[in-house]
Amino acid sequence: MSGDAIRIDDLTVRYGKRTAVDGVSLSVAPGAVYALLGRNGAGKSSLVRCMLGEQKPERGTASLLGQEAWTHRTSLMARVGVVSEEADAPPSMRVDALARFSASLYPRWNRAAFDERLARFSVAERARFGDLSKGQKKQVSVALALAHEPELLVLDDPTLGLDVVARKSLFEEVIADLADRGTTVFLTTHDLAGVETIADRVAMMADGRIVLDEELESLKARFRRVRFAAARPAAVGNLATTAVRSWGTGTEMIVTNYDPASPVDAAEVAPMSLEEIFIAVTDEEEGAR
Amino acid sequence: MTHLLAIACREIEERAFVLVAAIAIALVSLVVLVIPHGTFAERRGGVVILGTFLGVSFTWALAVILGATLVGRELSDKRLSFYFTRPVSASAIWFGKLIAAVVLLAVSFAIVHAIPLGFEVHEWRTMSTMTRPFAVAAILTIAIVLMLGSHVVSTCVRSRSPILALDFAALLLAVGFFIATTEPLALAFAVPPASNVAGSYIAAFLIASIVGGAWQLSRGRIDARRNHRELSKFVWSMVAVAALTMFAYSRWVLAAKPADYTTVAGAQRGNIVWLHGTARGFYPEFLMNTATGAFVPAGRSHFESGDVVAVVAPSETLQNAKLAFEGGFQRPSDWTLTITRLARTPERIAAFPLSGRIETAGVSSDGSRAAVVADQILTVYDTRSGHALASSRVGWVSSASQIEFVTPDVARTFIADEPTHTLTVRDFDVRTHQWTAVAGPIRLMNPFLYRVAGNRLLTRGSGEVELRDLRDPKVLQTFPVGRDDGIWIMRDGRQAIYHYGRPSSVEIRRDGVRQRVVGFGPEVESVRVVDEIGDHRLLIVTHSPSRNEGYDTTTYILDANTGVLSNAMPHVLAAAAWPGSIGIADDAADRALLHRETGKIDVIDLRTGAIGHPSS
């Protein structure tokens, strides 16, 4: 049994002839914040469903906290908090009823923490879940997912459709909780700016495959935007590039193996945001196809 | 269990509005009370009728809706993650939802039926012959079947999976198998086993859909198509197991033979005994040759001559099976006439179709000819080809009429006329199509009171019994007989007069002069002479009231010369010929002894009195 909080081996999911997840393997260390990035249809949600034991993969296994997810889903869910992509609680249920119902299913339930989060999100306890805004629904889902103090938190695109304030609040909530307890977090998202502040490690998925899986720091360290004044720069040396763009007499390159110890001469070197790296990587994958 | 109850409570809470709807529906029926028409009692009856109608409709409609939304809607709306991302098992999810639906159904039912059922007991009693608990159980059972059926359909249809085509094919196959299983049972009037088959199909479906719900969620979880696939696999596997088991069961039931009887009774003409009783859960009837032990199913009617039997049975058609189920087997559209020689190994001589309302029939002793009166026309058939050789209109005949073959080309008809209580005997020549009068009209006490034994004809009028030889139709002998007496004409010309009522007795007479009287105890309600063993011993049966089965029978041998009763056989019925109040020895070599309480069948040799098995 490995010590990983999440371990996925050769996972494959097919829908008819279409392969949604194609032999994916990855692992997440305990206490890490792992962000899985990918465009719509990249296979993230299918991967999450398999990981949560909601869907049986065609091939391969997904284990959480050392237990196979499909077989041990029931017992695992007592140790895992989940915020689904779509808020799936029954619309007619009031928030307090939802909390009571959830509390009855878990071996432990921190009602005070739940109430405190609701208060922080300004969500009324007597409100019907269906009457809440999209952001409030997500906030209630997060509060419910954290109330039983899970060892692992899985968030499937938690900021989808949220405004900037709600997004910021959501990540802050997660971060605050992480700071408190060191919970392992696995999230899939489009919100790269939010992830950049909390993730330890990121993976990128394209066409059902993992095309990048790396510590965020090292990823950001090796990706650079390099601009040369010359159209045909002589000092490229061993730089690996993923995109080269020329204009007038100048050239711009996305370098994927930048080493600060070996600066590039006659060039303007700029760090890249996670969003820029994501675009560069996914564009390259698309180009390769 | 806690999780299951938590889910059940949550589901009830979510759908509690149906209870409000139930209250509203229940109150609607009270509107009848304020309609200014009829007496108050009539309006009260109207409340019961309207309330019952609304209640049943509401309950069944609610069952369909609850079934359709049990998990199907959440699956298609992708909302089942709500449960699956929590530490609850698939079984807890399913059974929690199911329990909630059943509770809602039962409570709604109680609410909507409170007025019609509780308003006035009298109205309910006059409306229906069903008891109230039975009606309640029936309505709720149907509701639950509807709910589970609706759940299965909803799961299958909402998945929009191509497997739906396979479901449809499986459904057709199951229906086809059901028909193939029950049709022969219906035609054999095996109604309890047919009910068992239908019940097993329903039980299999119920179990499959109840357990299958947990199975589908356990293996399909939030995937609608996978749920559909798993549910289909489970339901159809269960139905297939039930269908194959019931098919085997029906074949086992239909393979019943006389040795399987657990209770038996019957009647005998010549060596052919018509047996009926309980075997393998139904009431099969057989014709058995007492000399050989060979037997065939008796069909709906049967005719015999020597060791040849002709059986008229409904053809195996769906229409006939339907008629059999409805109990309306008066005019089946198609019949099959099967002629068999009950030799040591039964030999089928012919089988051919007939149609119409068959009133009587006969078969020649060589099996080459059969005569049938159907729809007032006598037709004589060549059995091997099934072709009609000749036919003639005979008019309306009663079921007491008979046909015997004098030769294969001459059919003798004994037409008993019910309105006039007369018997007319005529011969029909197949070659010339001509009728020849033989005897009659002869007055009968009732149309059934005549017996034919070869050329001898015994008839019973209002105060006398006449014996004729049909080769010379004048009356040979006349015997005065009391209204409550029966008579057996012995081979040596003596008469055994048996008195039916209490005190029962058998009186031996020669030329009308009493020789001796044998009396029976007060427990004996009636006595009857069944046959003659050798030339002076009589086989008799007494009937006594019995607490268990209405009456009990004991068979004895009575020595007519000495008046000594011997060989008492309790609970044994010697199979007699009909009618019972007149008797004369026919060509039977054995007489069946039927052990009514155990179903065992023995035979007694009519020359020696030895008792053995039919095949020995």
Side-chain angles (χ1 to χ4, degrees):
Chain A
M1 196 63 70
S2 78
D4 295 325
I6 299 173
R7 181 167 192 87
I8 291 170
D9 288 314
D10 194 24
L11 196 97
T12 300
V13 176
R14 288 197 187 92
Y15 300 110
K17 289 178 180 171
R18 190 172 74 82
T19 303
V21 180
D22 190 1
V24 165
S25 298
L26 61 86
S27 61
V28 178
V33 178
Y34 188 100
L36 180 64
L37 313 177
R39 288 179 157 184
N40 290 338
K44 302 187 300 292
S45 291
S46 295
L47 184 71
V48 168
R49 283 197 290 270
C50 292
M51 220 172 75
L52 296 176
E54 291 183 326
Q55 185 172 346
K56 190 164 189 172
E58 197 84 12
R59 197 179 67 220
T61 56
S63 302
L64 303 183
L65 306 170
Q67 288 187 304
E68 209 275 312
W70 177 260
T71 317
H72 299 98
R73 182 196 60 81
T74 309
S75 57
L76 272 174
M77 287 303 114
R79 301 164 65 194
V80 178
V82 180
V83 178
S84 301
E85 183 177 353
E86 293 291 332
D88 52 13
S92 61
M93 268 185 108
R94 295 184 191 280
V95 174
D96 55 349
L98 204 48
R100 267 201 314 278
F101 171 68
S102 297
S104 68
L105 305 179
Y106 289 96
R108 61 170 184 263
W109 187 260
N110 190 337
R111 177 74 203 210
F114 176 79
D115 291 342
E116 186 197 325
R117 285 192 186 98
L118 275 195
R120 201 185 317 162
F121 295 142
S122 306
V123 176
E125 279 199 352
R126 295 292 297 158
R128 287 183 193 280
F129 189 76
D131 296 339
L132 299 176
S133 70
K134 206 162 187 174
Q136 285 177 314
K137 282 179 184 169
K138 278 281 155 97
Q139 286 164 334
V140 171
S141 298
V142 169
L144 288 169
L146 293 175
H148 64 281
E149 297 169 349
E151 296 166 51
L152 168 66
L153 183 64
V154 177
L155 304 106
D156 189 8
D157 228 339
T159 56
L160 186 71
L162 299 191
D163 59 37
V164 179
V165 178
R167 264 189 287 180
K168 188 166 179 290
S169 153
L170 191 61
F171 280 122
E172 278 176 2
E173 175 64 24
V174 173
I175 291 162
D177 196 73
L178 291 177
D180 289 347
R181 291 189 290 109
T183 307
T184 308
V185 177
F186 181 97
L187 77 155
T188 70
T189 186
H190 292 94
D191 188 354
L192 304 185
V195 164
E196 204 162 351
T197 59
I198 60 165
D200 300 322
R201 192 176 178 93
V202 294
M204 293 182 191
M205 238 182 136
D207 252 2
R209 282 174 291 131
I210 297 284
V211 294
L212 183 148
D213 184 358
E214 197 172 349
E215 295 294 328
L216 182 60
E217 272 185 25
S218 79
L219 179 71
K220 291 186 75 173
R222 70 184 176 86
F223 270 78
R224 284 290 186 278
R225 187 183 302 279
V226 180
R227 290 199 180 99
F228 295 93
R232 291 175 183 276
V236 173
N238 292 327
L239 291 182
T241 57
T242 182
V244 178
R245 190 160 60 97
S246 298
W247 76 101
T249 55
T251 301
E252 183 184 89
M253 295 173 177
I254 304 293
V255 174
T256 61
N257 63 343
Y258 182 76
D259 181 2
S262 312
V264 182
D265 295 335
E268 181 187 329
V269 178
M272 293 174 69
S273 69
L274 185 58
E275 188 170 340
E276 289 171 316
I277 296 171
F278 175 73
I279 291 167
V281 170
T282 51
D283 278 356
E284 185 189 32
E285 277 301 308
E286 209 161 85
R289 288 201 307 274
Chain B
M1 185 56 91
T2 319
H3 292 177
L4 186 149
L5 292 177
I7 291 168
C9 292
R10 199 207 75 70
E11 293 283 331
I12 290 171
E13 204 176 325
E14 187 178 342
R15 295 161 186 245
F17 64 90
V18 301
L19 302 179
V20 179
I23 293 169
I25 292 284
L27 294 175
V28 165
S29 57
L30 291 179
V31 169
V32 176
L33 284 179
V34 297
I35 294 174
H37 182 76
T39 64
F40 181 72
E42 285 169 343
R43 281 180 274 157
R44 206 167 50 183
V47 170
V48 176
I49 292 168
L50 180 64
T52 303
F53 172 76
L54 288 175
V56 172
S57 309
F58 177 80
T59 304
W60 289 350
L62 179 65
V64 171
I65 293 166
L66 286 175
T69 55
L70 212 49
V71 291
R73 191 177 59 183
E74 281 165 296
L75 267 176
S76 62
D77 293 351
K78 301 188 188 306
R79 285 200 291 113
L80 266 183
S81 276
F82 174 69
Y83 285 120
F84 277 105
T85 51
R86 286 168 168 76
V88 287
S89 66
S91 303
I93 297 171
W94 167 251
F95 285 110
K97 282 172 164 284
L98 189 64
I99 287 168
V102 171
V103 168
L104 282 171
L105 202 58
V107 175
S108 304
F109 174 78
I111 292 170
V112 293
H113 283 75
I115 290 176
L117 289 185
F119 203 75
E120 181 56 68
V121 175
H122 173 71
E123 267 75 8
W124 173 262
R125 285 192 183 140
T126 55
M127 269 171 57
S128 172
T129 54
M130 279 192 287
T131 62
R132 197 184 299 195
F134 180 81
V136 168
I139 293 167
L140 271 179
T141 303
I142 292 170
I144 287 171
V145 171
L146 284 173
M147 186 178 77
L148 291 167
S150 171
H151 155 68
V152 171
V153 171
S154 163
T155 301
C156 296
V157 171
R158 285 175 194 262
S159 79
R160 296 177 187 171
S161 161
I163 301 173
L164 202 55
L166 292 179
D167 287 325
F168 190 65
L171 178 66
L172 291 181
L173 208 61
V175 171
F177 226 84
F178 178 76
I179 291 171
T181 304
T182 50
E183 186 195 85
L185 290 174
L187 288 169
F189 269 70
V191 176
S195 305
N196 290 344
V197 170
S200 299
Y201 263 79
I202 292 170
F205 173 74
L206 284 179
I207 293 169
S209 46
I210 290 171
V211 182
W215 173 270
Q216 74 169 86
L217 286 182
S218 161
R219 301 179 66 96
R221 303 199 183 167
I222 64 165
D223 184 336
R225 288 195 169 193
R226 202 180 164 94
N227 266 270
H228 174 185
R229 194 169 68 220
E230 294 299 332
L231 181 64
S232 288
K233 265 161 53 178
F234 197 89
V235 168
W236 295 123
S237 300
M238 283 287 289
V239 170
V241 167
L244 291 174
T245 308
M246 287 302 103
F247 186 76
Y249 166 71
S250 76
R251 289 304 173 269
W252 175 79
V253 166
L254 292 170
K257 46 193 184 300
D260 296 318
Y261 276 127
T262 50
T263 63
V264 67
Q268 184 172 339
R269 188 165 176 245
N271 268 356
I272 305 299
V273 58
W274 167 52
L275 301 167
H276 55 92
T278 313
R280 297 189 174 178
F282 77 119
Y283 312 100
E285 298 178 6
F286 296 100
L287 297 173
M288 188 175 76
N289 187 342
T290 53
T292 64
F295 61 89
V296 288
R300 299 267 37 91
S301 56
H302 49 86
F303 311 93
E304 57 282 310
S305 179
D307 58 358
V308 172
V309 294
V311 172
V312 178
S315 301
E316 290 194 8
T317 65
L318 208 58
Q319 175 65 13
N320 280 347
K322 186 166 163 281
L323 285 167
F325 262 125
E326 289 169 353
F329 229 144
Q330 303 305 312
R331 287 175 179 271
S333 53
D334 300 299
W335 299 100
T336 300
L337 178 71
T338 306
I339 297 166
T340 310
R341 184 185 304 284
L342 292 179
R344 198 158 288 277
T345 305
E347 172 204 341
R348 177 176 283 199
I349 296 169
F352 57 93
L354 297 174
S355 61
R357 182 188 174 116
I358 294 172
E359 279 125 7
T360 188
V363 62
S364 65
S365 58
D366 63 356
S368 66
R369 298 283 188 271
V372 177
V373 176
D375 298 330
Q376 305 187 11
I377 293 172
L378 169 75
T379 306
V380 180
Y381 295 90
D382 174 68
T383 56
R384 285 182 174 81
S385 66
H387 291 153
L389 298 174
S391 61
S392 177
R393 175 168 288 278
V394 290
W396 188 89
V397 299
S398 80
S399 56
S401 303
Q402 291 181 28
I403 302 174
E404 305 264 329
F405 276 86
V406 182
T407 70
D409 289 323
V410 176
R412 176 165 290 167
T413 61
F414 298 82
I415 305 296
D417 185 48
E418 273 193 32
T420 60
H421 285 201
T422 56
L423 177 73
T424 306
V425 186
R426 294 195 300 161
D427 286 349
F428 179 68
D429 193 311
V430 175
R431 291 160 305 184
T432 63
H433 296 204
Q434 295 298 310
W435 287 96
T436 306
V438 175
I442 303 165
R443 293 282 301 173
L444 299 174
M445 199 161 83
N446 77 47
F448 291 90
L449 287 180
Y450 68 96
R451 192 188 282 199
V452 184
N455 279 314
R456 290 181 299 168
L457 172 67
L458 201 60
T459 58
R460 179 166 189 155
S462 52
E464 75 296 321
V465 170
E466 293 176 337
L467 179 64
R468 286 177 170 81
D469 185 329
L470 292 172
R471 289 168 294 195
D472 178 8
K474 69 174 187 276
V475 176
L476 292 177
Q477 277 182 287
T478 301
F479 309 99
V481 181
R483 191 171 184 80
D484 293 330
D485 292 343
I487 182 170
W488 178 270
I489 310 299
M490 295 176 64
R491 289 193 178 90
D492 63 5
R494 285 185 288 177
Q495 306 96 51
I497 309 293
Y498 40 98
H499 184 63
Y500 280 126
R502 284 193 178 105
S504 294
S505 62
V506 177
E507 179 184 330
I508 307 298
R509 290 181 192 165
R510 182 180 290 281
D511 300 326
V513 179
R514 177 189 297 173
Q515 289 189 324
R516 62 188 47 81
V517 178
V518 178
F520 294 88
E523 75 283 359
V524 175
E525 198 166 70
S526 72
V527 62
R528 179 179 172 187
V529 176
V530 173
D531 214 324
E532 192 173 354
I533 302 167
D535 57 2
H536 62 91
R537 287 184 294 168
L538 297 172
L539 190 64
I540 65 169
V541 175
T542 62
H543 293 76
S544 311
S546 159
R547 202 174 296 163
N548 295 334
E549 48 180 332
Y551 71 93
D552 195 6
T553 58
T554 303
T555 296
Y556 297 91
I557 293 174
L558 170 64
D559 189 320
N561 291 348
T562 62
V564 173
L565 276 174
S566 63
N567 296 67
M569 291 171 266
H571 316 303
V572 170
L573 173 71
W578 290 96
S581 65
I582 50 174
I584 188 166
D586 56 19
D587 56 356
D590 308 279
R591 185 64 61 176
L593 298 175
L594 309 174
H595 296 253
R596 299 175 65 233
E597 291 182 344
T598 63
K600 189 176 171 225
I601 300 166
D602 287 326
V603 290
I604 184 165
D605 188 314
L606 294 176
R607 285 161 303 170
T608 64
I611 295 173
H613 296 299
S615 54
S616 60

